[in-house]
Amino acid sequence: MLVLGGPSGSGKSRWAAHLSREHRWPIVRLDDFYKDAGDPTLPMSSLGIADWDDVRSWRCEDAVEALEQLCRTGELVAPVYDISASAATGTQQVRLDGAGTVIAEGIFAPYVIEPLRERGLLAGAYCVHHNRWITFVRRLIRDLSEHRKPPLVLVRRGLRLARAEPGIVRQQLRLGAEPIRPKELARRLAQRP
C-alpha cells in the first residue's frame, strides 16, 4: 500500500491519478470515508459547514478495514462521497487486477500509516506539499469549479487552511509520512513494479 497524504489542494489526487495511469495501480480515495451530514459525531466549523479538515469528520477504522480487504481479497466496494451534498452518494468497485501496489490517498491518509504497518501492508507513505499559497490557489480553483460550497465560504476556508498548512504538514510527518514535492514523488516511484 502506497499512502499519499498532504494538505487539501496539494495535488495528491492528481498525482495519484497520474501514477495510476502510468503504472496501472488502483486508487482508494480515502476522502470518500467522510461521515455523512446528520451524523451526530460530525464536527462543524465556525463557517457553518461540516469541518472536513478535522480528523473526527472521517471514518479511519472503516478506511483501514477497506484497505485491508482490498489487499486480502483483491476487490472492494468503496463509497463515493460528494462534498457538496455532505454525504456518500454512491459506490465504486476497486480491484487489484494483479497490481503489486495500491494507492491510498487523502488528507487524512497518514492516519492509516501505523495500522497498515502493523498489518504488514505498508509499502511507503508520503506527504505531498508545495508552498502554502500555491496550494491555496489550486484548492480554490478546484473547489470553485466543483461548486463544493458558496464562493465566500471557500475563500474563508482556504485562507484558514493556508495559515494552518505548516502545522498540517508537521502533523503528517509525525504520523510517519515523508515530505515530498510532487515531481520528486513521480521520479522516485518511476521504478516501482
Side-chain angles (χ1 to χ4, degrees):
M1 188 71 54
L2 179 65
V3 176
L4 295 184
S8 173
S10 62
K12 60 198 164 299
S13 297
R14 186 171 59 85
W15 279 98
H18 170 77
L19 293 167
S20 178
R21 285 190 304 274
E22 186 172 313
H23 300 283
R24 303 187 73 167
W25 296 339
I27 301 171
V28 177
R29 299 188 191 291
L30 298 177
D31 292 349
D32 285 333
F33 288 86
Y34 276 120
K35 296 174 182 176
D36 288 344
D39 184 319
T41 65
L42 180 66
M44 299 299 287
S45 81
S46 61
L47 299 173
I49 59 173
D51 190 350
W52 294 288
D53 305 304
D54 183 326
V55 71
R56 295 173 301 158
S57 67
W58 185 66
R59 299 179 292 121
C60 184
E61 290 179 17
D62 292 348
V64 171
E65 287 176 16
L67 294 171
E68 183 172 20
Q69 177 188 337
L70 177 60
C71 291
R72 304 285 186 221
T73 69
E75 58 185 37
L76 167 67
V77 177
V80 175
Y81 194 91
D82 182 345
I83 292 282
S84 63
S86 300
T89 57
T91 60
Q92 65 178 337
Q93 186 79 27
V94 182
R95 289 193 170 93
L96 285 182
D97 289 333
T101 300
V102 174
I103 302 169
E105 67 89 10
I107 66 169
F108 298 124
Y111 286 87
V112 305
I113 293 172
E114 191 54 35
L116 291 177
R117 182 179 287 121
E118 290 170 359
R119 291 164 172 79
L121 300 175
L122 184 67
Y126 300 95
C127 173
V128 179
H129 67 101
H130 299 277
N131 173 287
R132 65 176 132 175
W133 298 111
I134 291 172
T135 304
F136 167 81
V137 170
R138 289 180 175 180
R139 179 177 47 246
L140 185 59
I141 291 168
R142 177 202 66 197
D143 291 352
L144 288 169
S145 70
E146 294 178 6
H147 308 287
R148 289 187 168 192
K149 295 295 174 192
L152 183 57
V153 170
L154 296 175
V155 170
R156 290 173 61 201
R157 175 179 176 260
L159 289 170
R160 184 179 293 174
L161 287 174
R163 287 189 295 272
E165 186 163 320
I168 292 168
V169 170
R170 284 192 301 272
Q171 174 64 11
Q172 294 199 5
L173 303 188
R174 280 192 294 270
L175 290 167
E178 179 182 343
I180 198 162
R181 303 290 187 194
K183 289 182 181 178
E184 171 62 16
L185 174 66
R187 187 192 66 74
R188 192 174 302 183
L189 298 179
Q191 303 305 314
R192 287 182 68 91

